[in-house]
Amino acid sequence: LMFRPDTYGKVREHGKIGVREGARKRLSGMKTGDRFVTYLSRVQLLDGYGEITSEVFEEDTLIFASDKLYPYRCRVAFDKVGAEVPVGDILWFLDAFEGLSTTTPTNIVFCKGGVMEISKKDYETLLDMIQHPPKSGKSNTAAYRTHEKRHSA
């Protein structure tokens, strides 16, 4: 799930995410128990992970912005927040973005309304990056290769 930093604060405060009509179908594809990672746009950070805790419902209260309604919602519970792991170039290594040449991974997620299904392998890679962030001075590429070594065989 991708959020702007200001919206992410509201998501954490209210324990729910919301999308507009264009992303409703993708959000509806998420079920109670599905896992997610959070990516913060503009600051390019992986910040946490958690679980979807309800089915999608409609609600018309303004939560995420004072002038835009994001009526299709579901409840979420975070297992971890505040990781603030710089993404760097790690998204380019994910299977979900293999073969991209005309845009960036973050643009793809943005175009999908911030909601994008990824493979179990990609989820585990991002989760590992959050749980074992690169040491200071170590690139995300090197950290990704360390992840691959830990999980190969």
Side-chain angles (χ1 to χ4, degrees):
L1 299 172
M2 181 171 78
F3 304 101
R4 291 187 328 260
D6 57 320
T7 306
Y8 185 51
K10 299 284 186 186
V11 168
R12 290 168 47 190
E13 177 185 342
H14 294 278
K16 54 180 101 164
I17 60 173
V19 300
R20 299 175 107 183
E21 178 65 35
R24 179 175 60 119
K25 187 174 181 179
R26 279 185 292 286
L27 185 65
S28 294
M30 298 180 79
K31 302 297 179 210
T32 301
D34 282 353
R35 306 290 302 167
F36 64 85
V37 294
T38 57
Y39 171 75
L40 302 183
S41 64
R42 299 185 182 170
V43 292
Q44 300 180 349
L45 297 172
L46 292 173
D47 193 67
Y49 54 92
E51 181 176 338
I52 302 295
T53 59
S54 78
E55 299 300 315
V56 173
F57 59 93
E58 279 189 64
E59 186 176 64
D60 63 0
T61 55
L62 291 172
I63 293 177
F64 308 106
S66 61
D67 62 340
K68 293 181 186 169
L69 184 62
Y70 296 85
Y72 304 101
R73 301 179 181 174
C74 67
R75 298 192 192 302
V76 296
F78 288 92
D79 297 328
K80 181 175 181 70
V81 296
E84 297 185 355
V85 177
V87 172
D89 58 0
I90 192 63
L91 297 180
W92 291 96
F93 290 96
L94 301 180
D95 292 342
F97 304 111
E98 187 175 348
L100 280 185
S101 62
T102 59
T103 191
T104 65
T106 53
N107 192 46
I108 295 291
V109 179
F110 174 78
C111 289
K112 292 180 178 276
V115 177
M116 183 175 166
E117 183 176 359
I118 59 174
S119 69
K120 183 177 180 183
K121 178 184 173 207
D122 286 352
Y123 171 78
E124 289 173 355
T125 297
L126 295 173
L127 186 64
D128 192 59
M129 293 294 297
I130 294 168
Q131 293 174 335
H132 308 287
K135 304 281 188 251
S136 180
K138 187 175 185 181
S139 75
N140 281 6
T141 302
Y144 175 79
R145 288 191 170 87
T146 300
H147 162 81
E148 286 295 294
K149 287 178 186 172
R150 268 199 303 265
H151 297 281
S152 63

